Amino acid sequence: MRIVLFLCLLIASPVLSQTYPEYQVGPVVDNADLLPADAETALSEQLKALRRDTRAEVFVLTIPTQGDFNAGETVEDFAAGTFDAWRLGDPLKQDGVLVVLIRDDATAHIALGEGFAGDLTSAAQRITTDTLLPALQTDAPAEGIVRGVTATIDQVVMPFLEAPQIEEPSGGLRISFNPALLIVGVLALYGVFAARRHLSSLFARARSCPECGARTIRETSKRDVDPTIYVPGRGTRRRWCESCDYVDESTYIIPKLTNTDQSRFGGSG
C-alpha cells in the first residue's frame, strides 16, 4: 500500500509542483522591473482604455526568470499555463491575450485565446521575433516592449474585434412572424388546389366517352359529408359527356382527419 501511494505521489508531483505568478488586478504586472514607472503607468492606462472601449483583455507579465516557477517548461507552455491560471478573456469568445517577457532568460511569448485564427497567431509570432525579443537584448527594453504591445493591439486584437462575430441567440429559439410571407403562402396554397382542380378537369376531358367515343367528358365533385378524426367523409363525383346523354355518378371516400389536420382546419365536433 505504501509503495502504491509513493508511486502516485511520484507521478503527480510534476503536476502539483507547477506554479505560476500570482494574478493581479492591473493589466501590467512588471515583476522584472523592465518598465520605468511612467512607462508602466502609460501602458497600463492604454490597456485599461482598450478594455473599457472594446472589452478586449490584454495583460503584460514580466518576470526575472522562469526558474522561480516551472523551470522545465518552455516559454510557450509557461505562458499558456499562466494564461489559463489567470483565466483571461471572455470564456465564450476566448479572446484573452497575455504578453510574457522573461528578463534573464531573454525569452518572450504572446499567449492567445483559442478564439484567434491562425493568421493572427502568426502575426503574434512575428511581433515576438521582430520586436519583443530584440527589446530584451537592450539595456532599455521599455520602448520595445511598449511598441510590441501596441503592435499586438493593432495587428492581432483589433483585426479579431473587427472580424464578423457569430452571436449565439440568448433566451432560446427566436421565431419571427412575417405577415407578407403568410399571405404569399396562402396564395400559393390556393394556387396549388386550383391547379389540381383544373388538371383534373383536363384529364377527365381527355378521356373518351364510353358511349359516343368523343373526348368531351366533363367531371365535377362535391363533398357530401365532412370527415372528422373519428369517421371518414364522403363525396359524389359526376361525369357527363357534352356530345351525348352519357352521365355517371359515383361515391368516393374522404380519409379521416389527423389531429394535425383538425387543428389546422378547425375540425368538427
Side-chain angles (χ1 to χ4, degrees):
M1 183 64 182
R2 291 180 180 179
I3 296 177
V4 174
L5 180 60
F6 173 77
L7 292 176
C8 290
L9 292 174
L10 184 64
I11 295 173
S13 59
V15 177
L16 296 176
S17 64
Q18 288 183 340
T19 58
Y20 297 100
E22 183 179 355
Y23 173 80
Q24 298 183 26
V25 176
V28 179
V29 183
D30 186 22
N31 292 334
D33 294 326
L34 295 177
L35 300 169
D38 57 344
E40 181 178 348
T41 299
L43 183 59
S44 179
E45 291 300 321
Q46 179 185 3
L47 298 180
K48 287 179 181 179
L50 178 70
R51 173 69 171 170
R52 181 176 60 252
D53 297 339
T54 67
R55 302 190 65 82
E57 194 170 29
V58 179
F59 270 57
V60 177
L61 168 67
T62 73
I63 59 174
T65 176
Q66 190 176 324
D68 295 337
F69 300 97
N70 303 318
E73 285 188 321
T74 63
V75 63
E76 292 81 7
D77 291 339
F78 173 77
T82 306
F83 181 97
D84 293 338
W86 289 10
R87 299 180 181 179
L88 298 180
D90 185 285
L92 295 179
K93 296 181 180 180
Q94 300 187 34
D95 56 355
V97 177
L98 176 62
V99 181
V100 176
L101 301 107
I102 305 177
R103 184 191 63 198
D104 298 344
D105 302 338
T107 57
H109 183 69
I110 302 175
L112 303 176
E114 294 183 0
F116 290 88
D119 54 342
L120 299 179
T121 302
S122 299
Q125 292 173 348
R126 287 195 301 270
I127 295 169
T128 301
T129 302
D130 298 341
T131 307
L132 296 179
L133 290 178
L136 291 174
Q137 299 172 0
T138 66
D139 295 333
E143 181 181 354
I145 293 173
V146 172
R147 283 193 290 107
V149 174
T150 302
T152 302
I153 295 173
D154 295 339
Q155 301 175 30
V156 178
V157 177
M158 296 309 298
F160 174 81
L161 296 176
E162 294 168 358
Q165 301 291 324
I166 300 177
E167 297 185 358
E168 295 292 334
S170 58
L173 180 63
R174 298 180 180 179
I175 302 176
S176 58
F177 175 75
N178 191 328
L181 292 179
L182 177 61
I183 295 174
V184 171
V186 171
L187 292 177
L189 189 61
Y190 175 80
V192 170
F193 285 119
R196 289 182 61 184
R197 292 186 61 184
H198 180 66
L199 290 174
S200 177
S201 178
L202 289 177
F203 288 139
R205 183 178 297 185
R207 290 194 290 266
S208 300
C209 175
E211 291 188 1
C212 68
R215 295 182 178 273
T216 53
I217 291 290
R218 290 294 186 91
E219 178 180 297
T220 60
S221 59
K222 67 175 182 176
R223 180 178 297 190
D224 300 321
V225 178
D226 291 330
T228 69
I229 61 174
Y230 305 107
V231 296
R234 187 177 66 253
T236 302
R237 181 179 293 109
R238 183 173 184 270
R239 295 187 180 92
W240 73 96
C241 178
E242 294 181 332
S243 301
C244 66
D245 296 330
Y246 172 76
V247 176
D248 177 69
E249 289 188 354
S250 60
T251 300
Y252 64 95
I253 301 300
I254 304 172
K256 292 187 292 185
L257 297 178
T258 63
N259 291 331
T260 303
D261 293 331
Q262 186 183 41
S263 61
R264 185 186 304 168
F265 299 111
S268 62

